Amino acid sequence: MKRPPAFPVPSGRAALVPSVLAADFSCLKGSLAPVKKLADWVQVDVMDGHFVPNLSFGPGIAAAVARASGLPVDAHLMVEEPGPFLEAFAAAGAGLITVHAEAAHAGACLKEIKKMGLKAGLALRPKTPLKKIIPFLRVLDLVLIMTVEPGFGGQAFLPEMLPKISAARGLIKKTGRAIWLQVDGGITAETARAAAGAGADSLVIGSALFKAPSPAAFLRGLKRTV
Ligand code: DX5
């Protein structure tokens, strides 16, 4: 399998990660064109209609996004049983696969993702306590703190997640390992600053980016502030 592109570590700022969920599905290539040179990687939000009350897309779109953007792809699986889909997303070119701590066999999935030579992420719904990540910190490459209830883009950022982000930063620091702290949901120019200030170093941005008059200007502006 072709090795996916490496995930860049931007110096002195958070990584900016467009969420394809908010892009124009009728023209993914066109949607991604203005941002692909400014974004650090891209996220595909996979939804199964069970774990979340919404359906989105599968490995085929992940492969199309990888081709259209040339960026590293991060597959966020909002899927009740992610295990059977890991290989398909790896084959589609995802270099990082995130499963939810609330999903079935999350620990086994993380092991499988690492065995495939990919980066492994673990996501927490807003109500899931942070301590759920502790058993996995020695293998994780990314922790994803959801700042909305997963399932839909365009929701408002939950500010009560800020202490959870800071606490996650503290846990990561104690490991001495380079683990991304990613935040996803309701990221705008304003909430991006708050999230980065609380310790996030990877920001997933959907609606605020793709609905901006100029997505490129939006990302350039963010780069100066996070
Ligand atoms: C929720 C999705 C969204 C998306 C980002 O399940 O994961 O959080 O990626 O969408 P916005 O930026 O519109 O909240």
Side-chain angles (χ1 to χ4, degrees), residues 136-158:
F136 306 108
L137 283 171
R138 66 189 185 293
V139 299
L140 287 176
D141 300 289
L142 180 140
V143 170
L144 168 49
I145 303 288
M146 291 303 293
T147 42
V148 293
E149 194 52 40
F152 297 89
Q155 301 177 73
F157 180 89
L158 296 170

Side-chain angles (χ1 to χ4, degrees), residues 52-141:
V52 290
N54 195 4
L55 272 172
S56 59
F57 28 67
I61 294 290
V65 167
R67 281 195 308 276
S69 69
L71 288 169
V73 171
D74 151 359
H76 173 197
L77 305 187
M78 289 165 269
V79 171
E80 207 148 87
E81 290 264 3
F85 302 100
L86 300 177
E87 240 174 74
F89 279 97
L96 187 156
I97 301 179
T98 294
V99 295
H100 267 261
E102 309 89 356
H105 315 300
C109 286
L110 293 171
K111 272 203 195 97
E112 179 59 25
I113 294 165
K114 297 298 285 185
K115 216 167 87 194
M116 291 194 289
L118 304 183
K119 294 195 175 303
L122 189 64
L124 298 178
R125 286 179 185 273
K127 290 192 181 65
T128 302
L130 183 63
K131 65 178 185 230
K132 283 278 186 188
I133 66 169
I134 294 173
F136 306 108
L137 283 171
R138 66 189 185 293
V139 299
L140 287 176
D141 300 289

Side-chain angles (χ1 to χ4, degrees), residues 145 147 157-167 191 193-198:
I145 303 288
T147 42
F157 180 89
L158 296 170
E160 59 269 36
M161 290 294 110
L162 287 169
K164 190 175 183 180
I165 297 167
S166 305
T191 59
R193 278 192 294 277

Side-chain angles (χ1 to χ4, degrees), residues 175-194:
T175 69
R177 296 188 65 240
I179 302 173
W180 291 100
L181 178 51
Q182 188 175 69
V183 168
D184 175 351
I187 294 294
T188 61
E190 190 197 342
T191 59
R193 278 192 294 277

Side-chain angles (χ1 to χ4, degrees), residues 19 21 43 45 47 76 78 146 148 150-154 184-186 204-207:
S19 154
L21 191 71
Q43 182 178 94
D45 306 78
M47 301 177 185
H76 173 197
M78 289 165 269
M146 291 303 293
V148 293
F152 297 89
D184 175 351
V204 176
I205 316 144
S207 316

